[in-house]
Amino acid sequence: MKPPFPARGWVEIDSAALAHNVSTIRAELGDAVEFCAVVKADAYGHGVDIVVPVLQAAGVEVIGVASNAEADRVRRCGFRGRLIRVRPGAADEISDGVPLGIEEWIGGPAHADVVRSVARRRRRPIASHLSLNSTGLSRDGWDVGAAGEADAVRRVFADESFDIVGVCTHFPREDADDVRRGTARFLLECSSVAPAKSAVTRHCATTYAGLHVPESRLDMVRIGAGLYGDTSALDGALRPAMRVLSTVTAVNSYRRGSSVGYDGWHRLEHDATLALIPLGYADGFHRSLSGRGEVLVRGERARIIDRIAMNGFLVDVTRIPGVAPGDEVVLFGRSGAECITSDDIERSHGHIAADLYPSWGQLLPRFAVQPTG
Ligand SMILES: *Cc1c(COP(=O)(O)O)cnc(C)c1O
């Protein structure tokens, strides 16, 4: 589908795929587990404004954000449910987050002091989730095993500056045994620090844990990747919702032995036809993809052969007949029978695809499409 505006590159979001993923995941989790849909990084580049209406239509009652800007946009979509910040906030964010009704993530003793000072200034308790380092991520949270820390956590529960509504942790690995061990330890630590009969929401699982290890679901699961179809969990039942497209601008043939790209990055081993794609690292196509990544031209794979420049890169289309300026190019997602998947990106980039696609969604113009079937 052509974008409804002139663009060198664009992002299509398949709203029907999002709706399918939400309902599939909800059916898998059942009614006893709350579904927190994570829309940080502008819904992983899919767009809060596109994703939140889908969540609302599906009756999702909890949304996870990182920034206040995201929270504000979620509220402007008309969402009145619970909003949780899925990282420790800075003092000014926490203060400005109060009118948005954001529940905060308390990331350890020093951060608790930050939240407390905001609560005192605002003269009201801050609804908060208390993070424990039960899984050994050691990014934030109390180390309940260390001397004095369990007592310190109990004091936070008793402190009137806080309204502790949840206890949380986050896993360092996508590994089922690690998730089982971490969940068991988290449960023990929760019961040792939370006051008896308290109704806190205990949550630790993300997409991987929640969909692969049911005992990690506890009271709530925080789902990001699965929502956008970036997971092989549930036997591939979830559908990728993002496609990234561009058009060929120039096509040229160069002789065997020619050097190609900055620093003479590549030397042609045969006479070759090269197509220029007008996107580069300024658009989030990282230099790591140089010489490794592939795109789809006329439904066939073409390899990126040069060193990716700020606003352009070359693909070898020698074996694809008839490529001409104006041809559509798929950089991520399906084209006919072929597909550039998250796994493809991970292999060529050397890191998870989520390291790149949120930037594509935020840097390139984006629109929602009707499914093409
Ligand atoms: C991003 C994030 C999630 C969602 O993780 P996915 O693997 O994308 O499902 C959950 N919890 C926290 C704390 C996060 O930062």
Side-chain angles (χ1 to χ4, degrees):
M1 191 167 156
K2 285 280 174 214
F5 40 74
R8 290 174 300 115
W10 64 96
V11 171
E12 288 180 0
I13 304 299
D14 179 348
S15 302
L18 293 169
H20 164 83
N21 295 341
V22 177
S23 66
T24 306
I25 295 167
R26 280 187 70 115
E28 171 69 19
L29 297 178
D31 290 339
V33 176
E34 275 198 286
F35 180 159
C36 170
V38 179
V39 302
K40 68 191 181 199
D42 195 16
Y44 291 36
H46 293 65
V48 164
D49 304 325
I50 294 174
V51 174
V52 170
V54 174
L55 299 174
Q56 286 178 286
V60 169
E61 282 157 3
V62 190
I63 290 183
V65 294
S67 71
N68 288 1
E70 286 154 5
D72 183 50
R73 286 170 56 209
V74 170
R75 291 296 188 213
R76 283 171 194 271
C77 290
F79 177 78
R80 307 212 190 293
R82 293 173 72 183
L83 265 182
I84 303 175
R85 193 190 307 281
V86 295
R87 61 161 168 78
D92 56 348
E93 288 188 298
I94 296 170
S95 186
D96 295 346
V98 169
L100 292 164
I102 304 177
E103 298 174 9
E104 297 294 338
W105 178 289
I106 311 186
H111 188 246
D113 293 342
V114 173
V115 180
R116 185 186 296 104
S117 66
V118 174
R120 289 196 177 148
R121 229 176 314 127
R122 285 255 176 191
R123 297 174 197 282
R124 57 191 287 177
I126 306 272
S128 304
H129 298 249
L130 204 145
S131 168
L132 304 181
N133 190 35
S134 314
T135 59
L137 176 64
S138 305
R139 182 166 80 184
D140 57 72
W142 275 265
D143 194 1
V144 171
E149 295 245 333
D151 282 337
V153 176
R154 289 186 201 106
R155 281 198 297 278
V156 172
F157 267 101
D159 188 326
E160 289 182 351
S161 294
F162 305 102
D163 170 19
I164 303 296
V165 294
V167 183
C168 54
T169 191
H170 192 50
F171 293 108
R173 288 183 194 82
E174 298 201 339
D175 173 89
D177 287 334
D178 191 64
V179 167
R180 275 185 209 101
R181 267 194 305 276
T183 302
R185 173 140 177 220
F186 175 59
L187 277 176
L188 275 178
E189 295 188 352
C190 282
S191 55
S192 90
V193 296
K197 285 193 256 158
S198 76
V200 293
T201 304
R202 298 158 308 163
H203 52 108
C204 56
T206 58
T207 296
Y208 175 86
L211 298 185
H212 287 89
V213 185
E215 63 261 44
S216 72
R217 293 172 184 168
L218 308 183
D219 304 319
M220 185 172 78
V221 176
R222 307 183 304 262
I223 301 273
L227 200 54
Y228 312 108
D230 180 15
T231 173
S232 57
L234 305 182
D235 296 324
L238 303 178
R239 305 211 303 255
M242 179 187 286
R243 291 207 311 156
V244 182
L245 296 96
S246 181
T247 44
V248 171
T249 51
V251 183
N252 288 288
S253 295
Y254 295 107
R255 283 165 299 153
R256 183 168 77 92
S258 302
S259 78
V260 177
Y262 287 134
D263 304 322
W265 171 263
H266 183 74
R267 188 169 293 277
L268 295 182
E269 287 167 2
H270 52 81
D271 291 353
T273 305
L274 307 183
L276 180 61
I277 316 298
L279 296 176
Y281 55 79
D283 305 293
F285 290 87
H286 198 270
R287 273 199 158 190
S288 59
L289 300 168
S290 302
R292 300 164 59 112
E294 291 180 321
V295 304
L296 304 175
V297 185
R298 301 193 156 225
E300 295 193 49
R301 286 179 179 263
R303 180 178 293 271
I304 299 172
I305 62 162
D306 66 336
R307 179 169 256 183
I308 289 184
M310 191 177 279
N311 287 122
F313 63 83
L314 290 163
V315 295
D316 187 341
V317 295
T318 310
R319 281 180 297 165
I320 308 174
V323 176
D327 279 358
E328 189 173 273
V329 178
V330 173
L331 294 91
F332 185 52
R334 182 163 292 287
S335 173
E338 277 285 359
C339 188
I340 305 294
T341 64
S342 281
D343 286 347
D344 289 327
I345 298 294
E346 180 166 342
R347 258 191 308 277
S348 44
H349 175 47
H351 301 279
I352 57 171
D355 184 35
L356 297 181
Y357 64 73
S359 314
W360 300 337
Q362 292 176 85
L363 292 169
L364 296 171
R366 179 182 53 206
F367 63 103
V369 293
Q370 294 308 314
T372 50

